[in-house]
């Protein structure tokens, strides 16, 4: 399709003269009649808040390790779908053709109206969970809830890979139907986060805590962008922030791949990724991972107490899972995660 299909959206409050305040993300757009929000995928049409994100631009099955979610049923698979749109405008986004819809030249609409029943049927046939990823799933609470209607009776878990830039109302709306979320913490300070994403950091940290309080499993990702977000003092600040919430929360250090407006930048060096792991460990984080660039050691889960290897991973798959009922076979320490 070359144009989106607009459908009624949740979390809009009308407040006179045809205006609607969108309460989905902290950008808090106050939309006049006919106006589209800064995400480009929600609009006020005839006094009704509408969304373009009840759509699917991609649907394929991949490993849960790719989300990345390392402490959620290792070795299982995810039917991943995405609708165009994002609340951030990161210069390095590898999915910019989808995520930056409506913002930059060459980002036309891709996708067709989503069929939640068909997506869940396919997930059941593939023995897979359903994941919303690549773009910002927080812009698709309506689709998430519709998927849940079909997924919950079939015990198909719903997963998100999100930037976490959501209001408390939005988190409360979707948390009851989500099993796990990987949330990006992309900057160490408000100024750095705004420079990188165009948005505030505090709401992201608040969303991490709110999802966890609601019982959703949360892992964190941080892209290490040379000269922008890979300084050791920046990584130390992020790891302290995570440790302050829960030192058992997994932290994924993502290697930056040159792309989009940063296509000429250098990729993250393996040395810097290894230094990031040390910084995380020094801050008290028990589970710090690097998917690529540091070989199997970067992807391995060890018991924080007795160092027994618990999960051995290839780049995008689990090779060996040694946990017994979610505990270490060496010392019986419970390991945080959704293992069954
Ligand atoms: S979701 Fe979109 S329309 Fe709503 S507040 Fe955020 S940027 Fe604005």
């Amino acid at each position: 399709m070359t144009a989106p299909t607009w459908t009624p959206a949740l979390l809009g409050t009308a407040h006179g003269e045809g205006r609607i305040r969108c309460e989905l993300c902290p950008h808090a757009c106050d939309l006049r009649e006919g106006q589209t929000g800064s995400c480009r995928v929600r609009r006020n049409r005839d006094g009704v808040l509408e969304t373009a994100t009840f759509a699917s631009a991609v649907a394929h099955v991949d490993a849960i390790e790719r989300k990345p979610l390392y402490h959620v049923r290792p070795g299982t698979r995810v039917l991943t779908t995405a609708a165009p749109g994002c609340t951030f405008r990161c210069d390095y986004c590898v999915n910019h053709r989808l995520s930056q819809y409506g913002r930059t030249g060459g980002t036309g609409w891709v996708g067709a109206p989503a069929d939640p029943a068909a997506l869940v049927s396919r997930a059941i046939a593939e023995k897979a969970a359903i994941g919303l990823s690549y773009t910002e799933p927080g812009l698709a609470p309506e689709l998430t809830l519709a998927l849940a209607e079909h997924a919950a009776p079939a015990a198909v878990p719903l997963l998100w890979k999100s930037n976490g830039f959501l209001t408390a109302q939005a988190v409360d709306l979707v948390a009851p139907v989500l099993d796990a979320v990987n949330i990006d913490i992309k900057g160490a300070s408000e100024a750095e986060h705004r420079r990188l994403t165009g948005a505030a950091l505090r709401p992201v940290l608040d969303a991490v805590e709110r999802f966890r309080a609601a019982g959703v499993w949360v892992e964190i990702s941080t892209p290490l962008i040379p000269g922008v977000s890979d300084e050791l003092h920046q990584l130390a600040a992020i790891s302290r922030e995570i440790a302050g919430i829960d030192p058992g929360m997994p932290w994924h250090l993502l290697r930056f791949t040159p792309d989009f407006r940063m296509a000429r930048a250098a990729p993250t060096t393996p040395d810097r990724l290894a230094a990031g792991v040390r910084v995380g460990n020094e801050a008290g984080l028990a589970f710090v991972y690097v998917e690529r660039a540091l070989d199997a050691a970067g992807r391995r889960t060890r018991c924080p107490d007795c160092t027994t290897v618990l999960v051995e991973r290839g780049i995008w798959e689990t090779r060996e899972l040694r946990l017994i009922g979610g505990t270490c076979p060496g010392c019986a320490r419970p390991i945080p995660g959704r293992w069954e």
Side-chain angles (χ1 to χ4, degrees), residues 186-197 228-229 233-234:
K186 298 178 191 249
S189 68
E190 285 293 341
E192 288 164 9
H193 194 269
R194 273 190 192 278
R195 205 176 309 130
L196 195 60
T197 68
V228 178
S229 62
H233 73 273
Q234 296 170 317

Side-chain angles (χ1 to χ4, degrees), residues 83-128:
C86 190
T87 42
F88 286 2
R89 49 153 185 73
C90 307
D91 287 341
Y92 64 89
C93 183
V94 295
N95 297 313
H96 60 94
R97 288 176 190 82
L98 270 184
S99 71
Q100 298 302 300
Y101 164 72
R103 287 210 184 97
T104 58
T107 53
W109 181 261
V110 180
D115 182 340
L119 284 165
V120 172
S121 293
R122 183 172 164 199
I124 293 168
E126 301 264 12
K127 296 185 171 53

Side-chain angles (χ1 to χ4, degrees), residues 277 288-290 294-302 312-313:
V277 173
V288 185
Y289 298 112
V290 175
L294 291 188
D295 68 38
R299 303 184 288 268
R300 190 173 286 145
T301 302
R302 286 184 180 276
E312 198 73 72
R313 299 177 180 87

Side-chain angles (χ1 to χ4, degrees), residues 158-211:
L158 288 184
L159 316 170
W160 271 12
K161 171 77 184 85
S162 173
N163 65 21
F165 192 67
L166 294 161
T167 61
Q169 300 99 297
V171 173
D172 291 349
L173 181 66
V174 296
V177 305
L178 291 176
D179 180 48
V181 182
N182 183 304
I183 293 177
D184 289 325
I185 297 180
K186 298 178 191 249
S189 68
E190 285 293 341
E192 288 164 9
H193 194 269
R194 273 190 192 278
R195 205 176 309 130
L196 195 60
T197 68
L201 171 62
R202 187 68 246 169
V204 176
L205 301 174
D206 290 344
V208 169
E209 299 209 46
R210 203 165 184 95
F211 273 120

Side-chain angles (χ1 to χ4, degrees), residues 1 29 60 67 92 116 148 168 183 186 232 263 292 299 329-330:
M1 284 191 68
C29 298
H60 65 84
K67 298 303 108 194
Y92 64 89
I183 293 177
K186 298 178 191 249
L232 295 187
R292 298 171 289 155
R299 303 184 288 268

